[in-house]
Amino acid sequence: MRKPLIAGNWKMNLLYSKVPSYVEVLTKELQALHWTQATSGVLLAVPSPFLGLARELASKQGFSVAAQTIHEKSEGAFTGEISVNMLKDLGVDWTLVGHSERRQYYNETNESVALKSKAALEHGVTPVICIGETRAEREANQTHEVLRKQLAPVLTALKGSDAYVLAYEPVWAIGTGLTASDEQAQEAHAFIRSLLRAESPALAEKVRILYGGSVKSSNIKGLMAQPDIDGALVGGASLDPTEFAKIVAFSR
Ligand code: PEP
């Protein structure tokens, strides 16, 4: 049984000074909705300057904190980047890797995503590895091919490990208000799980696959009812802690 994981991706939003009130509201709302750590995991992917404070406050409430990206090297002359060593030193055990915005605006490739994921795992940081097709690729019936190409170097680099999470995020559904239908999402998740199964049946059973793309409290239940959807990666709707709490609570 895979425990659901609901991750909020703040992207470049909110402020350091708002972190305490966000965590406080999220905690109260989740209590009111009878959430417990046993029912689902809560992960907050916050901007780098917030990581230390967010970890300190969130960990007291049973939430985890993630970086939004890392560099594949442990240290060096890479101005503006953060390394997995730095995350560990802050007590941060999670990171997103290969979000479509990183691929689109910062030229991350399938190969660099694999290197970053490997670096995370080697330091005991769990990567949430994002994959997904563009609208043009879906319309050209290339979804499976794209997912296969995105995942192949990751599966090679992470061979022998099952300590990672995948996120299927169709690019056309991110920040657009367009959600994949429950059936479209399930079909893509089942395909991704079949790629894991080809590596090993145990891997396919263990690895959680999150859905991302305009998830809200009004559509989470249908998505979570699908057998291969193990949680969600939530962008816009995670910025409001009251709405995010509902998404977490409704994911059970
Ligand atoms: C995301 O940032 O990963 C995302 C899915 O964004 P949104 O929920 O806003 O579509």
Side-chain angles (χ1 to χ4, degrees), residues 213-228:
S214 300
V215 171
K216 309 180 242 337
S217 59
S218 57
N219 58 24
I220 184 71
K221 273 190 189 224
L223 290 162
M224 289 302 295
Q226 307 306 313
D228 288 300

PDB file of all heavy atoms in Angstrom, residues 213-228:
ATOM      1  N   GLY A 213      -0.904  19.255 -12.188  1.00  0.00           N
ATOM      2  CA  GLY A 213      -1.474  20.022 -13.296  1.00  0.00           C
ATOM      3  C   GLY A 213      -2.849  20.519 -12.908  1.00  0.00           C
ATOM      4  O   GLY A 213      -3.828  19.795 -13.038  1.00  0.00           O
ATOM      5  N   SER A 214      -2.887  21.759 -12.362  1.00  0.00           N
ATOM      6  CA  SER A 214      -4.158  22.402 -11.988  1.00  0.00           C
ATOM      7  C   SER A 214      -4.988  21.560 -11.023  1.00  0.00           C
ATOM      8  O   SER A 214      -6.213  21.487 -11.148  1.00  0.00           O
ATOM      9  CB  SER A 214      -4.949  22.782 -13.236  1.00  0.00           C
ATOM     10  OG  SER A 214      -4.206  23.696 -14.032  1.00  0.00           O
ATOM     11  N   VAL A 215      -4.320  20.936 -10.062  1.00  0.00           N
ATOM     12  CA  VAL A 215      -5.055  20.197  -9.021  1.00  0.00           C
ATOM     13  C   VAL A 215      -5.678  21.204  -8.051  1.00  0.00           C
ATOM     14  O   VAL A 215      -5.062  22.193  -7.671  1.00  0.00           O
ATOM     15  CB  VAL A 215      -4.116  19.231  -8.259  1.00  0.00           C
ATOM     16  CG1 VAL A 215      -4.816  18.633  -7.035  1.00  0.00           C
ATOM     17  CG2 VAL A 215      -3.622  18.130  -9.185  1.00  0.00           C
ATOM     18  N   LYS A 216      -6.927  20.922  -7.659  1.00  0.00           N
ATOM     19  CA  LYS A 216      -7.665  21.773  -6.723  1.00  0.00           C
ATOM     20  C   LYS A 216      -8.457  20.854  -5.784  1.00  0.00           C
ATOM     21  O   LYS A 216      -8.564  19.650  -6.035  1.00  0.00           O
ATOM     22  CB  LYS A 216      -8.690  22.660  -7.466  1.00  0.00           C
ATOM     23  CG  LYS A 216      -8.139  23.448  -8.622  1.00  0.00           C
ATOM     24  CD  LYS A 216      -9.232  24.278  -9.259  1.00  0.00           C
ATOM     25  CE  LYS A 216      -9.585  24.012 -10.678  1.00  0.00           C
ATOM     26  NZ  LYS A 216      -8.805  23.417 -11.654  1.00  0.00           N
ATOM     27  N   SER A 217      -9.064  21.463  -4.771  1.00  0.00           N
ATOM     28  CA  SER A 217      -9.865  20.630  -3.853  1.00  0.00           C
ATOM     29  C   SER A 217     -11.070  20.048  -4.588  1.00  0.00           C
ATOM     30  O   SER A 217     -11.615  19.029  -4.183  1.00  0.00           O
ATOM     31  CB  SER A 217     -10.305  21.432  -2.623  1.00  0.00           C
ATOM     32  OG  SER A 217     -11.059  22.549  -3.013  1.00  0.00           O
ATOM     33  N   SER A 218     -11.482  20.684  -5.686  1.00  0.00           N
ATOM     34  CA  SER A 218     -12.664  20.194  -6.404  1.00  0.00           C
ATOM     35  C   SER A 218     -12.351  19.022  -7.346  1.00  0.00           C
ATOM     36  O   SER A 218     -13.265  18.350  -7.797  1.00  0.00           O
ATOM     37  CB  SER A 218     -13.288  21.342  -7.215  1.00  0.00           C
ATOM     38  OG  SER A 218     -12.316  21.878  -8.085  1.00  0.00           O
ATOM     39  N   ASN A 219     -11.074  18.781  -7.671  1.00  0.00           N
ATOM     40  CA  ASN A 219     -10.805  17.648  -8.583  1.00  0.00           C
ATOM     41  C   ASN A 219      -9.913  16.566  -7.977  1.00  0.00           C
ATOM     42  O   ASN A 219      -9.671  15.540  -8.608  1.00  0.00           O
ATOM     43  CB  ASN A 219     -10.246  18.136  -9.932  1.00  0.00           C
ATOM     44  CG  ASN A 219      -8.961  18.946  -9.790  1.00  0.00           C
ATOM     45  OD1 ASN A 219      -8.244  18.806  -8.808  1.00  0.00           O
ATOM     46  ND2 ASN A 219      -8.686  19.791 -10.760  1.00  0.00           N
ATOM     47  N   ILE A 220      -9.450  16.780  -6.734  1.00  0.00           N
ATOM     48  CA  ILE A 220      -8.484  15.826  -6.172  1.00  0.00           C
ATOM     49  C   ILE A 220      -9.115  14.441  -5.936  1.00  0.00           C
ATOM     50  O   ILE A 220      -8.457  13.420  -6.140  1.00  0.00           O
ATOM     51  CB  ILE A 220      -7.835  16.378  -4.869  1.00  0.00           C
ATOM     52  CG1 ILE A 220      -6.753  15.438  -4.341  1.00  0.00           C
ATOM     53  CG2 ILE A 220      -8.861  16.631  -3.773  1.00  0.00           C
ATOM     54  CD1 ILE A 220      -5.501  15.381  -5.138  1.00  0.00           C
ATOM     55  N   LYS A 221     -10.383  14.417  -5.532  1.00  0.00           N
ATOM     56  CA  LYS A 221     -10.983  13.114  -5.177  1.00  0.00           C
ATOM     57  C   LYS A 221     -11.018  12.165  -6.364  1.00  0.00           C
ATOM     58  O   LYS A 221     -10.674  10.990  -6.249  1.00  0.00           O
ATOM     59  CB  LYS A 221     -12.401  13.308  -4.641  1.00  0.00           C
ATOM     60  CG  LYS A 221     -12.402  13.567  -3.160  1.00  0.00           C
ATOM     61  CD  LYS A 221     -13.812  13.502  -2.602  1.00  0.00           C
ATOM     62  CE  LYS A 221     -13.735  13.977  -1.192  1.00  0.00           C
ATOM     63  NZ  LYS A 221     -14.337  13.417  -0.161  1.00  0.00           N
ATOM     64  N   GLY A 222     -11.447  12.679  -7.511  1.00  0.00           N
ATOM     65  CA  GLY A 222     -11.532  11.831  -8.714  1.00  0.00           C
ATOM     66  C   GLY A 222     -10.164  11.332  -9.131  1.00  0.00           C
ATOM     67  O   GLY A 222     -10.006  10.165  -9.522  1.00  0.00           O
ATOM     68  N   LEU A 223      -9.166  12.205  -9.029  1.00  0.00           N
ATOM     69  CA  LEU A 223      -7.802  11.795  -9.402  1.00  0.00           C
ATOM     70  C   LEU A 223      -7.304  10.719  -8.444  1.00  0.00           C
ATOM     71  O   LEU A 223      -6.755   9.690  -8.860  1.00  0.00           O
ATOM     72  CB  LEU A 223      -6.863  13.009  -9.382  1.00  0.00           C
ATOM     73  CG  LEU A 223      -7.109  14.043 -10.498  1.00  0.00           C
ATOM     74  CD1 LEU A 223      -6.457  15.381 -10.166  1.00  0.00           C
ATOM     75  CD2 LEU A 223      -6.590  13.517 -11.839  1.00  0.00           C
ATOM     76  N   MET A 224      -7.525  10.941  -7.145  1.00  0.00           N
ATOM     77  CA  MET A 224      -7.002  10.001  -6.151  1.00  0.00           C
ATOM     78  C   MET A 224      -7.736   8.664  -6.157  1.00  0.00           C
ATOM     79  O   MET A 224      -7.251   7.683  -5.591  1.00  0.00           O
ATOM     80  CB  MET A 224      -7.057  10.617  -4.742  1.00  0.00           C
ATOM     81  CG  MET A 224      -6.064  11.736  -4.514  1.00  0.00           C
ATOM     82  SD  MET A 224      -4.335  11.270  -4.777  1.00  0.00           S
ATOM     83  CE  MET A 224      -4.081  10.081  -3.483  1.00  0.00           C
ATOM     84  N   ALA A 225      -8.900   8.626  -6.796  1.00  0.00           N
ATOM     85  CA  ALA A 225      -9.631   7.350  -6.877  1.00  0.00           C
ATOM     86  C   ALA A 225      -8.993   6.422  -7.916  1.00  0.00           C
ATOM     87  O   ALA A 225      -9.349   5.239  -8.011  1.00  0.00           O
ATOM     88  CB  ALA A 225     -11.091   7.616  -7.243  1.00  0.00           C
ATOM     89  N   GLN A 226      -8.060   6.942  -8.703  1.00  0.00           N
ATOM     90  CA  GLN A 226      -7.428   6.123  -9.751  1.00  0.00           C
ATOM     91  C   GLN A 226      -6.343   5.229  -9.130  1.00  0.00           C
ATOM     92  O   GLN A 226      -5.572   5.695  -8.290  1.00  0.00           O
ATOM     93  CB  GLN A 226      -6.804   7.017 -10.832  1.00  0.00           C
ATOM     94  CG  GLN A 226      -7.762   8.037 -11.427  1.00  0.00           C
ATOM     95  CD  GLN A 226      -9.031   7.395 -11.956  1.00  0.00           C
ATOM     96  OE1 GLN A 226      -8.980   6.394 -12.667  1.00  0.00           O
ATOM     97  NE2 GLN A 226     -10.177   7.962 -11.580  1.00  0.00           N
ATOM     98  N   PRO A 227      -6.269   3.984  -9.560  1.00  0.00           N
ATOM     99  CA  PRO A 227      -5.373   3.048  -8.875  1.00  0.00           C
ATOM    100  C   PRO A 227      -3.887   3.385  -8.955  1.00  0.00           C
ATOM    101  O   PRO A 227      -3.125   3.037  -8.066  1.00  0.00           O
ATOM    102  CB  PRO A 227      -5.646   1.708  -9.577  1.00  0.00           C
ATOM    103  CG  PRO A 227      -6.358   2.042 -10.848  1.00  0.00           C
ATOM    104  CD  PRO A 227      -7.087   3.336 -10.595  1.00  0.00           C
ATOM    105  N   ASP A 228      -3.473   4.111 -10.007  1.00  0.00           N
ATOM    106  CA  ASP A 228      -2.038   4.386 -10.144  1.00  0.00           C
ATOM    107  C   ASP A 228      -1.658   5.814  -9.766  1.00  0.00           C
ATOM    108  O   ASP A 228      -0.523   6.220  -9.996  1.00  0.00           O
ATOM    109  CB  ASP A 228      -1.591   4.068 -11.581  1.00  0.00           C
ATOM    110  CG  ASP A 228      -1.575   2.558 -11.799  1.00  0.00           C
ATOM    111  OD1 ASP A 228      -0.843   1.872 -11.080  1.00  0.00           O
ATOM    112  OD2 ASP A 228      -2.357   2.074 -12.652  1.00  0.00           O
TER     113      ASP A 228
END
